Amino acid sequence: MVESAGAQDPGPEGAGFAYHPMERELIVIGRVGTAGPDSSALDMFLTDQQLTLEPLFGGEARVRESLAQLPGHGEEVPDLSLFHRVRGGEDRMDELASRLAGLPGIETAYVKPSALPARGNGDPTYDDATYDSDSEADDGRREKEGVAAPDFSGRQGYLGPAPEGVDAAWTWLQAGGSGDGVSVVDVEGAWQLSHRDLGPKLAGMVVGTPVEDLAWRNHGTSVLGVLGGSRTGSGTLGIVPEAVLAAASPHGIGTARAITEAADRLTPGDILLIPLHRPGPRFGYEAGDDQRGHIPLEWWPDDFAAIRYATARGVVVVEAAGNGSDSLDDALYETRPDGFPAWWRNPFDPAGPSSGAIVVGAGAPPPGTHGRDHGPDRSRLGFSNFGTRVDAQGWGHEVTTAGGFWNRPGELQGGPEEDTWYTDAFSGTSPAAAMVAGAIAALQGMLRTAGLRPLTPVYVRDVLRATGSPQREAPGRPHSQRIGNRPDLRAAVAHLVPRQYAEGLAERFADEVLPHPRENASSLRLYVNGAWRTLTYPEPHVRQAVHTAFAGARPRVHVRYADDEVVGVIVMGESTQ
C-alpha cells in the first residue's frame, strides 16, 4: 500500500462508527456459451445442501428482452443471464463457493461482503458525554407544533459560486436549473422519507426493502437532503429541489439487482446514485471501522455488469470512490481475485473495460467552514480513494444537510422526531458523490427544459473532466493522487453552449480588493464598450498588471469578454525610447 495514501489523515470513521452490515451475497456465474448451470450434478448438490439458486437479474427471457432494447443490443454489457445468486447457507458461504465452482456448467462462484455507506464520522459538535437530548427535544417539539426550523442554507457553502461551491444558486436562476424533469434514484439501505426537507418531489421507495437501522436512515436522509432539500425558507436547500427523488434498497435482493431494477425505472439522462462501498482485497475483504481498503462497488463482476447495463441505457451512474485511503491505480487491483471469472478485467484500469459510471472522490471544503480546517480547499482528504479512474470531487467534510449524525439525532438540530433533524457533519465520499450527482441533474434539467437531448454518461464524464475548479495539493497529497475537479456549473454550461465573444479597450477599472459580504467572490471590473465587465477571482499578476497600466499616462488594456464576463486580458506597453 502507498504510504502517503492516508498517512496524514486517518480513515474518516473512528472506532465505534461501523454500520450494521447487510447480508453477504454468494454469486454463481455460469459458463459462457452454455444454457445455464442446470446440470443434474448441480441440482443434486443444491438439494443436498438445502440451497436455492436463482437468476440474479431475472429469467433468461427477461434478460434477453432487456438487452435487446439497448443501443447496439447491449454488445458491451456482460451477459446478465450468466449471473445467479445462492439462497441459504449463510454461515458457510466461503466453503460453498469453492464447491460450487467445481460443478459442471459453472464458471466460478464468489462471496461479496456487505455494501456499506461511504460516510465518515465528520466532526460532531457533541459526544456521548455532552449531548443533552432534553434541550434538543424542545426544538423538535417547537418544529412539530408548526414553528419553522432555522434557515441553515447559509451554512451550505457548497451551493455558492465556484471555486468554493458548485454554483447551484446560479443554476436556480436558469430555466430548468433546479433539476426540472430529471429523476434521481439513490441506491442504499434506508431513509427517513417523511423528513420535512424532502418535499413533494419525493417519489419514495421504488425497489427493495429498507434496513431497519437508524444509522442507515440518517445516511440516506442526508444524501437525499443534499440533492433535494425543498425551498421552504427554513432547514436546508437541495442542489436540485425540483428533481424527482426515489430510493432503491439492496436489502434482500443484492446491490446488482437493485441497480438494474432502478435503472429500468429511469430514462436516458436520469441519474442513479450509489453512495456505497465495500471492503476490498487490500485487507482480505474484511470490514473495519476505519474503512481502509474499502473500494467502489464496480470491482465485483455482477455489480460491474449491473452498472454497465444502466449506463448502456443512457442512465448516468454516479458512484462513490470509497473511503479506503487507497490508490485505485495500485497493482493490487490488476490481480484477478480467486472466484472471479477468467474474463474479468480490472475496472479501475482506464485501459480495461469501463462501467461508464462517474466515480467521485472527496475533497476538502474551504478552510474555516464551520470553524474547521481540513487542508487546502479541493485537496484530497486522507480517507478518499484516488487514482486515474476518479472523475470528479465534492466536499468530503462539513456538509450541512437533513438527517442526524450517524446513529444519533442531528447535532445542528435534534429532538424526538427524525423528520426534523439536521447535521453539519455529513462527510465521506457519500456526500461528495451526492454533490456531483446534483450538479449533473442541474445540467440535465437545463438541457431538457431547452428541448435539447440530455448528456450521455460518456459526455457527462468529459464535461466534468474538462471544466470545474481544479484539485489542489496538500502536504503528502499531491496532484498525482487524483480526485479530479469540483464541478463548476456555470463553467460547465459555458463549455456546453458556445458563447459569442467581443473585444475592446478598457476605459477604467474598479478593483474589489475586499469583498463584502466576505463570501462574495473577489473581482476586478473593467469598463469596456459602454458597460462594466467582470473578472472573478483575478490572479495576482493580472491584478497588478492592470493597476500598473492605468497608473501610466496612456493605459492600453485590451479585454476579451462574453456577455459581462471577462475571459482574457492583454496589457499592451509602449517603448520609452
Side-chain angles (χ1 to χ4, degrees):
M1 184 172 181
V2 180
E3 285 297 323
S4 62
Q8 304 297 318
D9 187 354
E13 303 237 359
F17 282 91
Y19 282 81
H20 179 75
M22 288 188 284
E23 66 275 11
R24 297 199 302 163
E25 300 176 55
L26 174 51
I27 304 299
V28 171
I29 300 180
R31 292 190 182 278
V32 176
T34 66
D38 56 356
S39 68
S40 58
L42 174 60
D43 292 338
M44 291 176 62
F45 179 81
L46 295 172
T47 301
D48 180 64
Q49 298 295 321
Q50 298 182 331
L51 306 174
T52 301
L53 190 69
E54 62 183 28
L56 183 60
F57 297 108
E60 185 174 353
R62 179 183 180 277
V63 168
R64 298 297 180 195
E65 180 182 355
S66 298
L67 293 177
Q69 295 174 358
L70 298 177
H73 303 294
E75 294 174 358
E76 297 182 2
V77 179
D79 187 349
L80 302 184
S81 66
L82 298 175
F83 294 88
H84 295 72
R85 178 174 175 174
V86 174
R87 298 285 188 177
E90 289 79 4
D91 57 343
R92 49 198 176 97
M93 281 188 172
D94 296 306
E95 172 203 343
L96 291 172
S98 298
R99 297 178 66 182
L100 282 162
L103 294 174
I106 291 181
E107 164 79 10
T108 192
Y110 57 90
V111 178
K112 292 168 57 178
S114 169
L116 298 165
R119 174 179 182 161
N121 68 359
D123 292 292
T125 56
Y126 62 83
D127 55 32
D128 290 333
T130 61
Y131 176 60
D132 182 354
S133 61
D134 291 336
S135 62
E136 293 290 342
D138 291 339
D139 290 338
R141 293 190 190 100
R142 287 196 296 271
E143 168 65 30
K144 298 300 283 187
E145 289 167 4
V147 178
D151 182 358
F152 297 124
S153 61
R155 305 180 69 83
Q156 295 179 270
Y158 57 88
L159 301 175
E164 287 82 3
V166 300
D167 222 344
W170 175 80
T171 66
W172 298 337
L173 303 177
Q174 317 306 313
S178 295
D180 306 59
V182 180
S183 294
V184 184
V185 176
D186 178 32
V187 180
E188 56 176 300
W191 309 259
Q192 180 54 256
L193 297 177
S194 64
H195 194 285
R196 67 181 307 279
D197 260 17
L198 299 186
K201 294 293 183 176
L202 184 65
M205 286 279 299
V206 294
V207 175
T209 305
V211 179
E212 289 298 328
D213 182 76
L214 178 57
W216 277 95
R217 281 200 305 278
N218 277 336
H219 183 270
T221 305
S222 293
V223 164
L224 292 182
V226 170
L227 291 164
S230 58
R231 293 172 177 162
T232 61
S234 62
T236 58
L237 291 171
I239 295 174
V240 279
E242 294 302 317
V244 175
L245 304 182
S249 173
H251 183 46
I253 60 174
T255 49
R257 182 70 174 266
I259 289 167
T260 54
E261 291 197 7
D264 285 338
R265 288 162 170 79
L266 296 172
T267 60
D270 287 337
I271 295 150
L272 194 152
L273 173 61
I274 310 174
L276 302 171
H277 59 187
R278 274 197 178 88
R282 177 68 66 189
F283 300 109
Y285 303 97
E286 293 294 330
D289 286 1
D290 62 6
Q291 299 187 11
R292 288 184 180 276
H294 288 47
I295 57 176
L297 266 59
E298 65 178 45
W299 170 257
W300 285 266
D302 58 313
D303 286 320
F304 177 91
I307 294 170
R308 186 68 192 91
Y309 170 78
T311 57
R313 283 180 53 86
V315 174
V316 180
V317 177
V318 180
E319 183 182 14
N323 300 350
S325 308
D326 207 357
S327 170
L328 301 182
D329 294 331
D330 195 284
L332 168 70
Y333 299 110
E334 292 294 337
T335 302
R336 178 169 59 88
D338 293 339
F340 280 19
W343 46 260
W344 177 89
R345 297 292 182 271
N346 176 16
F348 305 152
D349 184 350
S354 173
S355 71
I358 306 300
V359 177
V360 180
T369 302
H370 304 160
R372 304 186 184 102
D373 187 346
H374 300 281
D377 184 29
R378 305 187 306 284
S379 61
R380 184 183 74 83
L381 291 168
F383 63 78
S384 178
N385 287 335
F386 57 92
T388 311
R389 178 68 183 89
V390 184
D391 298 298
Q393 63 162 294
W395 283 25
H397 271 313
E398 309 302 336
V399 176
T400 301
T401 183
F405 170 75
W406 187 50
N407 67 349
R408 311 169 188 173
E411 81 291 347
L412 193 58
Q413 176 167 293
E417 303 291 341
E418 288 183 38
D419 55 5
T420 65
W421 292 354
Y422 295 91
T423 180
D424 248 356
F426 193 29
S427 62
T429 51
S430 285
M435 208 167 289
V436 172
I440 297 168
L443 289 175
Q444 303 287 48
M446 284 185 276
L447 290 170
R448 282 183 169 165
T449 300
L452 302 173
R453 290 183 179 181
L455 302 178
T456 65
V458 171
Y459 202 176
V460 168
R461 175 181 291 174
D462 291 344
V463 171
L464 291 174
R465 285 179 172 251
T467 65
S469 304
Q471 177 182 347
R472 298 173 67 185
E473 294 193 345
R477 299 172 201 151
H479 285 138
S480 58
Q481 296 180 353
R482 175 185 169 84
I483 58 170
N485 300 338
R486 177 182 297 157
D488 176 347
L489 283 166
R490 194 183 307 216
V493 170
H495 180 81
L496 292 170
V497 182
R499 295 185 291 176
Q500 298 296 316
Y501 295 99
E503 299 179 353
L505 287 175
E507 301 175 33
R508 54 186 183 271
F509 79 101
D511 193 351
E512 189 177 16
V513 293
L514 182 63
H516 182 79
R518 289 186 178 274
E519 59 267 22
N520 285 358
S522 173
S523 64
L524 178 66
R525 304 179 69 207
L526 297 159
Y527 194 80
V528 185
N529 293 338
W532 287 101
R533 321 293 177 180
T534 302
L535 176 61
T536 305
Y537 294 110
E539 295 288 340
H541 69 278
V542 175
R543 178 173 264 148
Q544 180 62 42
V546 171
H547 278 253
T548 301
F550 275 94
R554 298 180 60 190
R556 299 277 292 174
V557 179
H558 191 87
V559 179
R560 192 177 190 212
Y561 60 91
D563 297 325
D564 292 329
E565 179 185 358
V566 174
V567 297
V569 177
I570 301 175
V571 176
M572 297 172 287
E574 297 180 357
S575 174
T576 59
Q577 298 182 357

